[in-house]
Amino acid sequence: MSAWLDDLNPEQRRAVCHKGGHLLIVAGAGSGKTRTLACRVAHLLAGGVRPERLLLLTFSRRAAREMLTRAGQLAEAEGARRVWGGTFHAVANRLLRGHGAAVGLRPGFTVMDQGDHVDLLGLVRHDLGLGERGRRFPKKETLASIYSRVVNTQEKLADVVEAVYPWCRNDLEGIRAVFGGYATRKRARNVVDYDDLLLYWRALAASPTVGPVLHSGFDHILVDEFQDTNAVQADIVVAMAGPGVTVAAVGDDAQAIYGFRSGSARHMLEFPERFPGSTIVTLDRNYRSTPSILASANAVMADAPSGYAKELRATRPPGGRPVLATCVDELAQSAFVCDSILEQRERGVALVDQAVLFRSGHHSDALELELARRNIPFVKFGGLKFLESAHVKDLLCLLRILDNPSDELAWLRVLGFFDGVGPATTRRLVEELGVTEGEALARLLGDSCPRFPPAAAAEVEEMRMALGTCAVGDLSPSAQVERLGLACAPIFDRRYPSTASVRLADLGHLRMLANDYRTRSRFLAELTLDPPASTGDLAGPPHLDDDYLVLSTIHSAKGGEWQVVHVIHASDGNIPSDMALGSAEEVEEERRLLYVALTRARDTLVVSYPLRYYFRRNPLDDAHSYGQPSRFLTPAASTFEATSVGEAVVGDDVVAAELQALWE
């Protein structure tokens, strides 16, 4: 054990070997956070702690798997596989499968994904007639946003609406009615959403009967990315920390960027209060970036009004200064970025070691066109997820009705994709099949199957055979995916004629994922709780080039690092977003977002912004507005090497100054 302990710096070793009380590890960007947490798990295992008495909570299944694999290798312990490791939602699902009855949850429940959550709210909204009253009422997506924020911040509905959705303040009674109907519908259909999993787990931990059982099951709780926890998750950690249980949390309040998911750095700042006697260890040695890049990042955070004080210290030798490029317009910025990417490639930096980061997905639109024109392949992250693809949801809904025949949303989707079956026929079939009574699958497969339109006869019969084989046979989840995929093939040929083969290939990917599971229920639950990224994000035909540029939103890039990073559209209104200026807290989160972007770079950092933004409502219209560099870059200006791209940029600055004088 001493060999790998000797490789840790003093602060890391102190965190890894800490004994006697709760621990908060404030881990700056690039400071070896993942390694430190994995080493702490290994240290506990090597010290004799039984693996099944360790609970590791992360925000992705991949992170948990990576840490436990590294811990097992370091401690040379096979038992690392028995550690309770996973996301908050996955662990909640596992606990509720065994103890859910104690908090009123029936066995065999189905977990809805985010899309189903929104759709069910839409069904309730429709049934209550709230969209037909002659005045605007919040749409289902807005209702879902309000609902999730209320649950995860644990704030009153009226307060959330007033603060974040003021245009909905006159619809409070209708919103309450939708939420009440939504809860009733979920209970009747035996389905839960993501938020329910956390609420039920918190209730379990507080239960006088089951709570002590949960507390006594663990000696150590380790939490990754603690700055991203929401109010319910923070409550869960406190509730699980029963007598004799030690909590070790790691995070960086300067990288708290998920406020839109109700994550808050406040929970990290309150850690010493909620866990009295805690020890705080700060990791501020950065092993990723050059000193000049860190100087820019530190300068951006220098004006942050609160948080744990730290300044990243470089361990690498000096490198070139970051570049701040003022571009005449968006087209000039796209050309500049492409030139820079190709120049780096000629210097030996592969495309895959370069990334372009941006605040919002649409910010890369113009750049994507220029990349395609210059034959630069790329993969974009932050777009459509794998499980959001229509064809993947089609097949997963078939698995869901096998698992829970009362799953109304799954039936609505499955019945709707047969030829000749429209909304009215779907509603009729739902009633005739007895979905609400849980009889639908038996009736579909039995002699009392309702009448389908003639055009759907062949598709329905093939699907009945496939569902019957999966329902009564002893097929593995992988075999079930394969059998149902065969039944879907003619439907995909009709519904997606130009992309049917690609979509069927995605089902093959789904079948490979199912190979790791013994039961259909476990496969569905874990796939819903921690879905894979899209397999179809390549620009152009996939697999033609094994080298590609990475395009990513900053949120999706968190946790990543590249040799060269371009940050585009670093102007006020974009970073910070003009939609995030409602409060000082929102503005500070935007500052942290830029900090995260800058600290992804190892060797080269290039930040750019266009001076002109064209409105282009009319192709011949030259109307435009002027951009200014992000307010967060002002204190860091001296750390950048400034450059101008495009013609007449100096003149444009003069005009912008004159206009600014008029506005003031």
Side-chain angles (χ1 to χ4, degrees):
M1 181 170 65
S2 60
W4 53 264
L5 279 179
D6 290 343
D7 291 337
L8 302 175
N9 67 42
E11 297 83 14
Q12 291 172 335
R13 192 179 304 115
R14 184 181 169 208
V16 168
C17 300
H18 172 77
K19 293 181 180 179
H22 303 301
L23 172 68
L24 176 64
I25 306 170
V26 181
S31 63
K33 177 261 297 180
T34 301
R35 182 187 184 196
T36 302
L37 194 56
C39 286
R40 179 159 179 82
V41 174
H43 183 70
L44 292 171
L45 292 175
V49 176
R50 289 162 52 194
E52 59 271 15
R53 298 191 63 80
L54 285 177
L55 173 60
L56 173 63
L57 296 171
T58 64
F59 280 83
S60 75
R61 183 172 52 185
R62 184 183 66 179
R65 186 168 55 242
E66 178 185 347
M67 284 187 206
L68 293 178
T69 299
R70 292 172 69 173
Q73 292 170 344
L74 290 172
E76 298 181 355
E78 289 282 333
R81 299 177 182 177
R82 301 201 305 275
V83 171
W84 277 64
T87 65
F88 276 88
H89 294 92
V91 172
N93 176 68
R94 185 175 173 184
L95 291 172
L96 291 169
R97 296 291 175 185
H99 303 285
V103 288
L105 191 58
R106 305 200 310 273
F109 61 85
T110 300
V111 181
M112 296 189 295
D113 63 20
Q114 186 60 25
D116 293 328
H117 164 60
V118 173
D119 289 342
L120 188 54
L121 282 167
L123 282 176
V124 175
R125 176 184 185 273
H126 176 269
D127 291 349
L128 292 174
L130 293 171
E132 303 168 2
R133 296 186 175 181
R135 62 185 299 276
R136 186 179 70 155
F137 186 80
K139 300 191 75 173
K140 61 182 183 180
E141 292 82 6
T142 304
L143 292 169
S145 242
I146 296 172
Y147 180 89
S148 189
R149 185 171 285 267
V150 168
V151 171
N152 289 301
T153 60
Q154 293 291 279
E155 296 175 1
K156 294 288 188 182
L157 172 62
D159 295 338
V160 168
V161 168
E162 186 63 34
V164 188
Y165 308 90
W167 62 91
C168 302
R169 62 168 64 99
N170 295 326
D171 297 305
L172 273 177
E173 290 309 312
I175 295 172
R176 287 194 182 97
V178 171
F179 291 172
Y182 173 69
T184 301
R185 201 92 162 227
K186 284 189 297 180
R187 283 194 297 271
R189 307 298 185 269
N190 200 24
V191 297
V192 298
D193 58 34
Y194 286 179
D195 300 326
D196 290 332
L197 290 170
L198 299 181
L199 292 174
Y200 277 119
W201 183 6
R202 187 176 67 174
L204 267 185
S207 165
T209 56
V210 179
V213 176
L214 298 187
H215 305 157
S216 64
F218 302 104
D219 295 325
H220 295 271
I221 298 175
L222 301 100
V223 189
D224 189 21
E225 305 286 8
F226 198 75
Q227 79 280 352
D228 293 332
T229 53
N230 60 41
V232 182
Q233 289 165 331
D235 287 347
I236 287 170
V237 177
V238 173
M240 290 292 291
V245 180
T246 300
V247 173
V250 61
D252 182 7
D253 54 306
Q255 296 187 70
I257 59 173
Y258 292 108
F260 65 95
R261 297 180 187 166
S262 303
S264 174
R266 174 173 55 88
H267 305 124
M268 188 169 170
L269 299 177
E270 293 174 351
F271 188 92
E273 298 173 20
R274 304 193 77 175
F275 298 93
S278 300
T279 297
I280 300 176
V281 177
T282 300
L283 308 181
D284 57 6
R285 303 190 197 201
N286 180 282
Y287 295 91
R288 176 187 300 154
S289 307
T290 61
S292 53
I293 292 174
L294 293 185
S296 298
N298 286 329
V300 165
M301 290 303 296
D303 290 341
S306 62
Y308 290 102
K310 60 184 172 298
E311 182 169 327
L312 296 178
R313 295 181 290 157
T315 59
R316 296 186 55 199
R321 291 173 66 195
V323 172
L324 177 60
T326 302
C327 306
V328 67
D329 57 23
E330 292 179 83
L331 293 179
Q333 178 180 245
S334 297
F336 166 71
V337 171
C338 287
D339 287 342
S340 178
I341 290 166
L342 292 174
E343 180 183 346
Q344 292 291 340
R345 182 173 178 269
E346 290 302 312
R347 292 179 180 176
V349 182
L351 294 177
V352 76
D353 291 325
Q354 304 186 53
V356 180
L357 308 183
F358 33 85
R359 173 64 176 82
S360 300
H362 65 86
H363 287 168
S364 67
D365 289 351
L367 176 62
E368 290 176 40
L369 293 174
E370 184 67 8
L371 290 169
R373 190 180 73 80
R374 300 207 192 189
N375 193 31
I376 302 175
F378 62 88
V379 173
K380 183 175 180 180
F381 294 93
L384 187 68
K385 300 295 187 296
F386 182 69
L387 295 191
E388 295 169 359
S389 304
H391 54 294
V392 174
K393 291 205 71 169
D394 289 344
L395 192 132
L396 290 179
C397 281
L398 290 168
L399 292 175
R400 282 167 49 189
I401 62 177
L402 286 166
D403 214 47
N404 178 11
S406 298
D407 192 332
E408 180 183 19
L409 284 173
W411 277 108
L412 288 172
R413 186 176 189 97
V414 167
L415 295 172
F417 63 57
F418 291 119
D419 195 9
V421 177
T425 305
T426 299
R427 288 284 183 179
R428 172 180 65 80
L429 290 169
V430 165
E431 292 187 10
E432 293 181 5
L433 284 168
V435 170
T436 56
E437 296 84 22
E439 301 293 331
L441 186 60
R443 291 185 185 178
L444 180 72
L445 300 180
D447 296 333
S448 56
C449 180
R451 178 177 51 84
F452 281 79
E459 293 177 355
V460 171
E461 186 57 31
E462 175 62 23
M463 191 60 69
R464 288 179 68 202
M465 292 173 60
L467 288 170
T469 301
C470 296
V472 302
D474 192 23
L475 297 179
S476 67
S478 177
Q480 291 181 43
V481 171
E482 184 175 19
R483 179 65 185 91
L484 294 171
L486 291 174
C488 287
I491 297 173
F492 287 2
D493 283 338
R494 173 177 53 81
R495 297 184 75 195
Y496 318 113
S498 61
T499 58
S501 60
V502 174
R503 293 174 189 264
L504 288 172
D506 276 351
L507 297 192
H509 178 65
L510 195 66
R511 179 172 56 80
M512 287 188 290
L513 291 175
N515 279 330
D516 295 331
Y517 298 89
R518 297 180 184 177
T519 68
R520 181 175 57 230
S521 296
R522 182 78 179 270
F523 172 58
L524 284 172
E526 295 206 8
L527 193 65
T528 302
L529 296 173
D530 193 12
S534 173
T535 59
D537 285 332
L538 285 172
H543 312 306
L544 296 184
D545 197 328
D546 59 0
D547 191 19
Y548 53 82
L549 177 72
V550 173
L551 305 186
S552 177
T553 61
I554 300 172
H555 286 100
S556 295
K558 187 171 177 289
E561 59 180 72
W562 293 270
Q563 192 170 339
V564 177
V565 168
H566 287 83
V567 181
I568 62 174
H569 290 289
S571 55
D572 251 36
N574 293 323
I575 308 177
S577 167
D578 54 10
M579 301 296 290
L581 302 177
S583 67
E585 186 176 348
E586 288 179 294
V587 173
E588 286 309 306
E589 181 163 320
E590 294 293 302
R591 180 196 303 277
R592 296 193 292 267
L593 198 63
L594 180 58
Y595 172 79
V596 167
L598 302 185
T599 54
R600 299 309 95 194
R602 292 198 297 263
D603 299 330
T604 303
L605 173 65
V606 182
V607 180
S608 61
Y609 73 97
L611 192 61
R612 280 197 186 110
Y613 283 92
Y614 289 97
F615 300 147
R616 302 194 189 283
R617 293 189 180 92
N618 184 315
L620 300 179
D621 188 2
D622 193 42
H624 60 272
S625 61
Y626 282 91
Q628 300 183 47
S630 170
R631 66 191 70 180
F632 306 135
L633 290 172
T634 301
S638 62
T639 67
F640 284 91
E641 178 182 329
T643 186
S644 299
V645 179
E647 298 178 359
V649 173
V650 174
D652 283 334
D653 282 342
V654 172
V655 173
E658 292 175 349
L659 290 173
Q660 187 66 34
L662 291 174
W663 294 331
E664 294 175 350

